[in-house]
Amino acid sequence: MLVETLPEPGGAAATGMTAPETAYRPQPLLHDLVSTVLAPTTALGDADGQIRPAGVQGLFHADSRALSQVKLEVDGREPEAVGYAPDGPGGARFVSLPRWLGDRRADPTVRINRTRRVTPGALSEHVEIVSTASVAVTAAVTLKLSCDFAPIEVVKSGGDTVPAPAVISGPGELSWRSGRIGVTVTGEDAKAEPGETAWLRWEVTLPPGGRTVLRWNAVIDDPEAVVVAPARAVEWSRPQVVADHRLTRLLEQSLDDLRSLRLAEASAPGDTFLGAGVPWFLTLFGRDSIWAARMLLPLGTELAAGTLRVLARRQGTRVDPDSGEAPGKIMHELRRHEFALPGNDLRLPAAYYGTIDATPLWISLLHDAWRWGLPEHQVAALMPYLEAALGWLGEHTDAGGGGFVKYLGTRAHGLANQGWKDSGDAVRFRDGHQAEPPIALVEVQGYAYQAARHGAALLEAFGRPGAARWRDRADTLAERFRARFWVDGPHGRFPALALDGNGRPVDALTSNIGHLLGTGLLSDEESAAVAELLVSPEMADGFGLRTMSSREGGFNPMSYHCGSIWAHDTAIVIAGLARAGFGAQAGTLAEGLLAAGETFDYRLPELFAGDARGSVGRPMPYPAACRPQAWSAAAAITIMHAAVGLYPDVPAGRVLLRPLAGAPLGEVSVRGLRVAAKEVDVAVDRDGAVSVSGLPAGICTELVGNG
């Protein structure tokens, strides 16, 4: 999912040469910005409520910046910030003080309460000015506005933009237009002044103890957007949870964020998926949207169904080396036009297929949704797409031979790495040097093994041929994997990160191996060895699971994929550990994410730095991380689900119960999970005993030993 803006290894930065000043523009930082989002619209600004003409600040809609400046001034001065708070999906409140107004004493007597509300295609604000002064207050309030219509890729690369001039289109109304995209801002009872920097202006007079409310709104007209707000209500349940307060608060914020990230295609508004993250990736991303829907299955199957159908409609039908498309392949990302970074070789077509893992993950999402109770007629309708996806897995993934699923990269302008760690330097040997393609990633072999098994189960259940062939293929892959991927090192014996283009194991210890847990590719003994490595100090003495061991040559705690911590990565491993019965290890990683949640106001970012706790005391932000981000928010649901351990197989008429061994998160009670559209309640006491009620008729329970 990464779009790189840094110089490639071997360029001027690597050789010590001095590059021209214009050759490198760093990506704007956003870790301290406040995002207010209801997809596909986002407002990004400072913690004082101002949206300044700098970096990535602005009002965005579907990959385009609508307003680049929204700055409130009183008597030509900016009020002083006091604080802000989120106000549910699409809402935020800001408090500031114009301390030069009112009584001359230590306590402020004039206060501004600024309430922001984002809805799809619009932003509105109520600016309440409250006086407790003993004298009348008179002030000129202005809203300074700019619009540049900058594409998100230009903003991301720090590129130059040009303000568009505003015109007066009505009383208190300003308008901007670029092609078919239009923006209109209206201030109730305001005077408008046009120009490249435009203004709305109010004259305010308050009596002693008086108050007034100023209102304005922005509306975006964007008929070319490829993503829109869904046409239906939220698809998943909102469970009632009694647990550690950190988990309940993380869940509440995460559920708000997930609601705010809901999207649909303009051509099919009835099928919902989750946009990957704000601001860079608020669109359809195969891998991200699939993982997020899979994590939300305990709350219902409707999101999974929408995600599956959206991606099935865009499933590849031809071989196209430029886009990476191939018959049966699931796409990587969708944009309104080519995604091209100024001053960078990376150019991705509007529909880009450069991903090695979205297709097997799509297969497993269909299988898991079926087992959670997705109606059979909906599964049956997707079976032709399943067969096509299996066809891609069997015919288009073994570049150069060897029997493993691998990628070459798509031409010179696509992503060099095509697993979830898709930055250019993500695949490194223990000594730090980079692997050459074609690359066979370790976790992708696990995904492929699981997809073959899952595909076989679906083919058999729905009367389609080929189940035995896919089970045989999975068994063969497991044998090859055991022979080729396991390596010895200072950590002991473990699976390598990948095989490189020469078939050599890329021998760095990374979080990727945790994704093998639960796929069936590992034996019980191998799973135990992996579980212990994942919670070793080199991997887990921070606030979650590091992407790379701190003992590796390529380790950097502030890198994108070589030492940072990703919430979704940690959550996937927690789920695998829990399902395999490694409760203590799962609890260790879950505690790290819960501690990180406190630091980030319970809105987990895309990733954060992998520093040891003892070195910094709290997790440090990765400054360009998306926040909110779909699979990071979904991590909270995964932690909750792992704690209670409810694993349904509706077609087989049973539910397995396997709460976290040792109940490391203490007592957890959840009301409102969904199995086959029925609300189910689960409770786990402090001793790990579990009870369940509300299961659909005909479903029996089976308690699996939890340690």
Side-chain angles (χ1 to χ4, degrees):
M1 195 169 71
L2 174 70
V3 176
E4 297 179 70
T5 58
L6 298 177
E8 286 293 323
T15 61
M17 296 185 294
T18 301
E21 186 67 27
T22 57
Y24 168 61
R25 292 189 177 186
Q27 180 174 312
L29 306 184
L30 53 91
H31 63 282
D32 57 354
L33 299 183
V34 175
S35 60
T36 311
V37 54
L38 202 58
T41 306
T42 303
L44 271 169
D46 284 324
D48 59 0
Q50 306 285 41
I51 296 176
R52 295 182 167 85
V56 69
Q57 297 195 42
L59 174 65
F60 293 84
H61 181 80
D63 271 357
S64 179
R65 183 158 61 190
L67 293 175
S68 54
Q69 178 176 212
V70 180
K71 190 158 64 171
L72 184 74
E73 294 182 351
V74 179
D75 293 334
R77 301 162 66 178
E78 291 189 49
E80 296 175 87
V82 173
Y84 77 93
D87 190 27
R93 297 178 183 270
F94 306 88
V95 176
S96 59
L97 303 174
R99 290 199 294 163
W100 58 91
L101 297 178
D103 297 338
R104 297 292 189 263
R105 61 188 189 202
D107 292 336
T109 56
V110 180
R111 166 176 165 154
I112 298 175
N113 300 317
R114 189 173 180 179
T115 302
R116 177 171 296 160
R117 182 64 54 188
V118 169
T119 54
L123 179 149
S124 63
E125 286 192 349
H126 290 185
V127 181
E128 181 188 42
I129 305 174
V130 181
S131 173
T132 58
S134 61
V135 298
V137 172
T138 299
V141 179
T142 55
L143 195 69
K144 187 184 292 187
L145 300 160
S146 301
C147 173
D148 62 6
F149 293 108
I152 190 68
E153 64 269 24
V154 173
V155 178
K156 182 176 175 64
S157 63
D160 294 325
T161 64
V162 178
V167 299
I168 295 177
S169 50
E173 185 174 279
L174 297 161
S175 295
W176 297 259
R177 182 157 291 278
S178 176
R180 298 182 67 193
I181 303 176
V183 180
T184 301
V185 173
T186 305
E188 186 178 303
D189 300 322
K191 292 182 179 180
E193 299 179 21
E196 289 189 353
T197 299
W199 302 77
L200 292 177
R201 189 182 305 273
W202 296 264
E203 298 295 334
V204 173
T205 299
L206 298 179
R211 64 180 291 276
T212 191
V213 177
L214 311 178
R215 296 177 175 87
W216 71 274
N217 68 83
V219 177
I220 304 160
D221 177 27
D222 185 4
E224 296 180 344
V226 295
V227 291
V228 297
R232 55 184 298 178
V234 175
E235 292 77 9
W236 53 84
S237 67
R238 192 173 183 111
Q240 300 175 33
V241 180
V242 178
D244 182 314
H245 78 280
R246 297 175 301 172
L247 178 56
T248 57
R249 291 191 64 182
L250 185 62
L251 279 165
E252 287 299 309
Q253 182 61 55
S254 295
L255 288 165
D256 281 351
D257 288 339
L258 290 164
R259 180 182 174 188
S260 74
L261 294 170
R262 296 169 64 247
L263 282 171
E265 282 192 287
S267 59
D271 283 334
T272 303
F273 59 89
L274 288 174
V278 172
W280 315 124
F281 310 116
L282 194 55
T283 186
L284 176 65
F285 269 80
R287 175 193 310 119
D288 301 58
S289 298
I290 289 168
W291 265 124
R294 200 174 179 188
M295 291 174 168
L296 262 68
L297 279 171
L299 308 185
T301 60
E302 291 89 343
L303 176 67
T307 304
L308 288 162
R309 287 192 290 263
V310 167
L311 290 168
R313 283 193 292 268
R314 292 188 173 272
Q315 191 174 37
T317 59
R318 62 195 178 103
V319 174
D320 181 358
D322 289 320
S323 69
E325 183 179 355
K329 192 176 186 181
I330 298 299
M331 72 181 306
H332 176 58
E333 69 178 278
L334 177 67
R335 303 283 186 176
R336 74 168 74 209
H337 50 60
E338 180 184 70
F339 193 96
L341 294 174
N344 192 290
D345 287 338
L346 189 73
R347 294 200 306 273
L348 308 182
Y352 180 57
Y353 288 78
T355 169
I356 192 64
D357 51 10
T359 307
L361 290 171
W362 186 95
I363 294 169
S364 289
L365 175 61
L366 178 61
H367 171 272
D368 289 357
W370 172 58
R371 291 186 60 151
W372 274 93
L374 183 64
E376 287 202 1
H377 72 276
Q378 295 189 39
V379 180
L382 290 167
M383 290 302 293
Y385 303 97
L386 167 75
E387 291 174 316
L390 287 169
W392 174 83
L393 195 60
E395 299 170 18
H396 295 275
T397 61
D398 190 11
F404 294 108
V405 178
K406 58 180 77 74
Y407 59 86
L408 277 168
T410 50
R411 296 288 171 95
H413 301 296
L415 292 171
N417 285 315
Q418 297 186 3
W420 84 260
K421 294 180 179 177
D422 54 5
S423 53
D425 63 351
V427 185
R428 296 180 175 227
F429 288 84
R430 185 184 304 157
D431 64 7
H433 81 273
Q434 295 181 36
E436 295 296 326
I439 302 292
L441 291 168
V442 62
E443 77 276 15
V444 172
Q445 312 318 307
Y447 300 159
Y449 175 90
Q450 189 175 55
R453 304 285 299 183
H454 285 170
L458 285 163
L459 291 172
E460 191 169 71
F462 285 83
R464 306 271 183 147
R469 177 169 69 90
W470 282 102
R471 289 193 179 100
D472 289 345
R473 184 182 180 91
D475 292 342
T476 300
L477 176 60
E479 292 174 6
R480 288 177 178 150
F481 181 87
R482 194 160 282 114
R484 298 290 308 280
F485 265 82
W486 284 80
V487 296
D488 291 306
H491 319 281
R493 189 162 174 78
F494 65 96
L497 165 59
L499 301 182
D500 74 356
N502 295 313
R504 295 177 302 174
V506 182
D507 55 353
L509 175 61
T510 64
S511 64
N512 301 57
I513 64 173
H515 291 225
L516 300 175
L517 295 165
T519 64
L521 189 56
L522 301 180
S523 68
D524 291 346
E525 182 180 355
E526 290 166 343
S527 294
V530 167
E532 288 306 312
L533 281 172
L534 292 170
V535 294
S536 64
E538 293 81 8
M539 294 295 293
D541 68 354
F543 294 86
L545 179 66
R546 288 193 182 102
T547 45
M548 178 179 283
S549 163
S550 60
R551 296 177 65 180
E552 307 306 293
F555 173 75
N556 173 2
M558 195 67 82
S559 67
Y560 202 57
H561 288 128
C562 297
S564 58
I565 294 170
W566 288 63
H568 90 282
D569 183 36
T570 303
I572 289 169
V573 174
I574 289 169
L577 289 167
R579 187 70 185 263
F582 300 104
Q585 293 89 337
T588 294
L589 297 181
E591 195 284 327
L593 281 190
L594 294 177
E598 287 186 292
T599 294
F600 293 111
D601 295 328
Y602 300 99
R603 174 180 271 180
L604 284 170
E606 178 186 17
L607 71 154
F608 49 91
D611 300 294
R613 294 197 191 199
S615 66
V616 292
R618 60 185 297 169
M620 292 293 107
Y622 181 86
C626 289
R627 188 167 174 253
Q629 206 242 13
W631 59 13
S632 291
I637 287 85
T638 296
I639 294 172
M640 174 198 71
H641 177 231
V644 299
L646 180 81
Y647 302 104
D649 185 351
V650 171
R654 67 174 182 269
V655 167
L656 300 182
L657 300 175
R658 188 171 202 167
L660 272 187
L665 300 182
E667 183 175 323
V668 179
S669 171
V670 183
R671 297 182 60 187
L673 300 180
R674 286 184 184 169
V675 176
K678 300 292 185 182
E679 290 207 351
V680 175
D681 303 338
V682 187
V684 179
D685 67 21
R686 293 188 178 277
D687 297 321
V690 60
S691 61
V692 61
S693 62
L695 287 170
I699 301 288
C700 64
T701 60
E702 178 182 342
L703 181 64
V704 180
N706 66 356

